[in-house]
Amino acid sequence: MTMAQSGQFSSRIGFIMAAAGSAVGVGNIWGFPTQAASHGGGAFLLVYLLLILVLGYPMLLAELMIGRHGQTNPADAMAKVAHGRRGKSIGTAIGLFSIITASLICTFYSILSGWFVSFAMAPVAQIAGLASLSAWLMDFSLSRNLVFTLVFIGLVILVIRQGVQQGIERWSKRLMPLLLLILLAGVGYILTQEGAMTGLSVLLQPDFSRVLDADVLISALGQTFFSLTIGTGAMMVYGAYVSQRENLASLTAYVTLTDTCVAFLAALMVLPAMYVAQQNGVQIFASDGSLLNADTLVFTVLPALFTTLGGISQYLIALIFFVLMTIAGLTSAISIVEVPTSYLVEKTRLTRHQATGVVGVIIAALSVLVVCFFDRLFGALITLTTERAQPLIALAIAIYVGWIWDRKQLLAEISRQEGVDTQHWFWRLWPVYVQYVCPVLIVVIIVQLLQ
């Protein structure tokens, strides 16, 4: 079964919501605000916005272009770009590497998102007077982690097994608007609290002396790279589900803009919330000015803030926030799980229902293993996939688009799009830019991460 036979997005808005949902994940709502708080607030935001433009957008377009050209899974799509047996074999290996990476990312992502599901249920249990259940839901225990990891994987599989239009597209069109509405409501509420304006000024008033700091540049570069899920094969798969006539440059711009807006809205909510928490007696910074518990901010500082609100408000705000985090996790996980699922559907005789079952069992088994050996495997898996594998895959994509893909074939692919002139400055510049500039920026990320 080919990608064309397995389904396509029925509309532009369907693709935009699905691709934006893939990009908009926990990294945007959790990672971006904490990175901003740790690296100069407004200075980080300024550098991030610049790097989204110079690296994120062109690389996202490159991955979508390969996917649509190939009209197949990442392994075969990368092979189609190359000429010669060796080039095709290397392309296939890179694609398989991205599929394996996506599957491994699903394991720790399911564990993390399972925590959000349990934290969303905790205030409901508290309101119902089930204090012991609420404590278990918020406690870091083996039983809690196992149950909600499997619950989250089940939710993802239920969406994926319904196919492209009835599953991925339909649920993305429902969940993404809901996520944006909850974010806007959260921003509106937090900004009315005492202390919020201090956090707002930190975010919106950049310290220009820090803009060129190495740690700010590298952190913003890494956040830019990972926030768009580049290097997992997800965007290649989604690219294969897009009509050949659609203008990918404009679609990519919409996705990038949505992703950036969500990250900014999350920062507008979380950064002021940190200073509201500080105003209410919660310690958020160490004596040296560094952010306390940056990696577990949403599970420590923010619940402490919610508790200080008192009354029913503490439970409602906590419920809304963790539902938001669950939605963000779900929209990203859907795209990542689709990567191995689409490969199995195309390369075997399994139906989509059977393939999702196989993928679900594999991811569940790996996730249970990580939960059982959490201290050894969780952090190591994050490092292996996001700090090692993803940058290398992205570098390979840049090299294949810039150096391996025959220029005439690339221009022919570009010219199929409606309303596109291959002589326009953008389409004359983009292949050269991906060929020279993007690999250099990605190598900088890799070198810094290895130090």
Side-chain angles (χ1 to χ4, degrees):
M1 182 182 291
T2 64
M3 289 292 205
Q5 291 171 325
S6 63
Q8 286 191 331
F9 291 112
S10 64
S11 63
R12 299 189 81 200
I13 191 65
F15 166 78
I16 292 168
M17 289 295 99
S22 173
V24 172
V26 175
N28 294 73
I29 300 175
W30 175 18
F32 181 84
T34 54
Q35 289 282 1
S38 302
H39 297 97
F44 178 87
L45 174 62
L46 195 63
V47 175
Y48 173 80
L49 292 176
L50 176 64
L51 290 175
I52 278 286
L53 181 64
V54 302
L55 177 63
Y57 175 80
M59 281 305 302
L60 182 58
L61 178 56
E63 194 160 335
L64 287 169
M65 191 71 74
I66 291 176
R68 190 171 65 176
H69 170 72
Q71 289 286 292
T72 184
N73 62 83
D76 292 336
M78 288 294 292
K80 281 190 176 183
V81 168
H83 291 280
R85 183 176 298 178
R86 179 177 296 179
K88 288 183 178 296
S89 296
I90 295 172
T92 299
I94 293 166
L96 287 172
F97 190 31
S98 72
I99 293 169
I100 293 169
T101 298
S103 302
L104 291 176
I105 286 173
C106 286
T107 60
F108 73 78
Y109 209 89
S110 297
I111 296 168
L112 180 61
S113 298
W115 296 346
F116 295 134
V117 177
S118 70
F119 267 68
M121 293 180 65
V124 177
Q126 197 71 39
I127 292 172
L130 303 172
S132 59
L133 176 60
S134 177
W136 177 75
L137 289 168
M138 298 185 70
D139 183 36
F140 189 86
S141 65
L142 178 63
S143 60
R144 192 283 306 261
N145 290 346
L146 284 173
V147 168
F148 285 95
T149 296
L150 296 176
V151 165
F152 182 80
I153 293 171
L155 290 174
V156 175
I157 295 302
L158 282 175
V159 174
I160 292 294
R161 72 196 302 268
Q162 296 174 58
V164 178
Q165 292 184 14
Q166 294 303 310
I168 298 170
E169 182 175 353
R170 182 174 66 171
W171 282 100
S172 296
K173 287 163 74 172
R174 293 174 177 178
L175 294 173
M176 281 303 296
L178 180 60
L179 183 146
L180 288 170
L181 284 173
I182 294 175
L183 258 181
L184 287 169
V187 170
Y189 177 81
I190 288 296
L191 292 182
T192 63
Q193 303 301 302
E194 189 176 354
M197 290 302 107
T198 304
L200 190 63
S201 65
V202 169
L203 179 64
L204 299 182
Q205 296 179 10
D207 179 358
F208 289 101
S209 66
R210 295 202 61 186
V211 167
L212 297 179
D213 284 0
D215 63 331
V216 174
L217 289 170
I218 297 305
S219 297
L221 201 58
Q223 181 65 30
T224 299
F225 181 73
F226 298 125
S227 71
L228 292 172
T229 62
I230 296 167
T232 65
M235 290 303 178
M236 281 191 211
V237 172
Y238 278 11
Y241 295 150
V242 176
S243 166
Q244 294 279 356
R245 306 294 294 170
E246 286 285 0
N247 187 326
L248 279 187
S250 63
L251 288 180
T252 306
Y254 287 129
V255 172
T256 306
L257 181 62
T258 304
D259 177 73
T260 305
C261 286
V262 169
F264 179 66
L265 283 173
L268 276 180
M269 180 177 69
V270 176
L271 218 65
M274 290 165 54
Y275 286 87
V276 172
Q278 186 179 51
Q279 181 75 24
N280 291 345
V282 178
Q283 186 177 2
I284 60 172
F285 293 108
S287 56
D288 61 359
S290 63
L291 184 65
L292 290 173
N293 301 318
D295 292 337
T296 57
L297 177 73
V298 296
F299 301 110
T300 54
V301 171
L302 293 182
L305 165 62
F306 302 148
T307 301
T308 65
L309 299 176
I312 195 68
S313 295
Q314 64 178 309
Y315 305 123
L316 291 177
I317 298 301
L319 173 63
I320 291 169
F321 178 78
F322 286 108
V323 166
L324 169 68
M325 297 300 295
T326 300
I327 293 171
L330 187 58
T331 55
S332 282
I334 286 168
S335 69
I336 300 172
V337 174
E338 178 66 11
V339 177
T341 300
S342 64
Y343 182 79
L344 284 182
V345 169
E346 186 173 352
K347 304 297 283 187
T348 70
R349 294 185 178 182
L350 295 176
T351 65
R352 173 168 279 272
H353 283 195
Q354 292 170 335
T356 53
V358 171
V359 171
V361 168
I362 292 172
I363 292 173
L366 290 172
S367 299
V368 167
L369 183 65
V370 175
V371 168
C372 292
F373 299 94
F374 186 87
D375 291 338
R376 294 182 183 179
L377 297 180
F378 188 77
L381 199 56
I382 293 174
T383 300
L384 175 66
T385 54
T386 64
E387 295 185 12
R388 301 291 187 267
Q390 274 189 272
L392 289 172
I393 295 166
L395 180 60
I397 291 170
I399 291 171
Y400 261 64
V401 171
W403 296 92
I404 308 299
W405 201 343
D406 180 75
R407 192 54 51 91
K408 288 183 179 179
Q409 280 192 353
L410 178 56
L411 290 175
E413 179 66 30
I414 292 169
S415 65
R416 291 193 188 101
Q417 303 171 105
E418 288 184 355
V420 168
D421 178 10
T422 55
Q423 297 304 309
H424 189 273
W425 67 266
F426 176 85
W427 291 113
R428 291 169 67 91
L429 175 63
W430 175 73
V432 178
Y433 187 89
V434 173
Q435 184 176 20
Y436 292 102
V437 179
C438 289
V440 171
L441 292 175
I442 295 169
V443 167
V444 168
I445 295 174
I446 293 171
V447 170
Q448 292 298 321
L449 288 174
L450 292 176
Q451 289 181 354

